[in-house]
Amino acid sequence: MDFEIKIDENFKLPKAVVYTDKLTEEVLRLKSFVLENSDNILLAYLGEKIKILNPSKIYTEDSKVFAESIDEKFQIKKRIYQLEDDLKLKKFVRISNSELINLNLVDSFDLSYSGTISVLMKNKSRTFVSRRYVKKIKETLGI
């Protein structure tokens, strides 16, 4: 494999391009590696303050979308379905119609509840997987 890096001031975010004659397992592994290891860049708002976060969970409240980090809550200017598409390759999974969680920031899953799953986040907040998403989360976790 040949590798090249070009510095161009017109690119504010890094962009990876692979030139190949055919789609191979090596190319697919490279794509997965790059996407999974890129930063979870998400702009969040708190009044006039804008912050780049790696949130533990994203949820809706009163028709507004919020991202919760370890110690703060910020409003997001996108809809939750747009964030789901943006973050699906970055270890975020939908657990209800109104909530996404960052699997990297989950402390534990409690399966003892009937029909649902309790999720303890590393910031010690607790949330629940809705009945509709239990099968999907189990498939994601491989259980």
Side-chain angles (χ1 to χ4, degrees), residues 31-94:
K31 175 187 173 193
S32 293
F33 178 81
V34 168
L35 292 176
E36 289 174 8
N37 291 291
S38 64
D39 291 335
N40 292 328
I41 295 175
L42 185 62
L43 294 179
Y45 300 83
L46 182 61
E48 296 300 313
K49 183 178 175 184
I50 297 175
K51 188 171 182 176
I52 296 175
L53 330 157
N54 182 12
S56 58
K57 68 179 180 179
I58 298 168
Y59 59 95
T60 59
E61 187 175 284
D62 297 327
S63 73
K64 295 179 182 171
V65 178
F66 293 94
E68 188 176 288
S69 65
I70 298 293
D71 56 355
E72 292 182 280
K73 177 172 119 174
F74 291 92
Q75 186 175 354
I76 306 297
K77 300 284 183 178
K78 289 186 175 183
R79 298 281 184 216
I80 199 156
Y81 70 88
Q82 293 169 319
L83 293 169
E84 182 180 21
D85 288 341
D86 293 348
L87 299 172
K88 68 182 170 188
L89 295 174
K90 295 180 176 30
K91 303 295 183 191
F92 277 79
V93 64
R94 192 159 195 160

Side-chain angles (χ1 to χ4, degrees), residues 79-135:
R79 298 281 184 216
I80 199 156
Y81 70 88
Q82 293 169 319
L83 293 169
E84 182 180 21
D85 288 341
D86 293 348
L87 299 172
K88 68 182 170 188
L89 295 174
K90 295 180 176 30
K91 303 295 183 191
F92 277 79
V93 64
R94 192 159 195 160
I95 61 168
S96 71
N97 282 340
S98 62
E99 192 168 3
L100 301 168
I101 59 170
N102 184 340
L103 292 175
N104 293 323
L105 297 176
V106 170
D107 185 60
S108 64
F109 292 94
D110 184 351
L111 304 174
S112 66
Y113 291 86
S114 179
T116 188
I117 299 171
S118 172
V119 183
L120 180 63
M121 304 303 291
K122 288 185 178 175
N123 68 357
K124 303 302 177 202
S125 68
R126 184 172 300 278
T127 189
F128 292 87
V129 177
S130 73
R131 292 177 190 268
R132 174 186 244 178
Y133 288 89
V134 167
K135 182 178 178 185

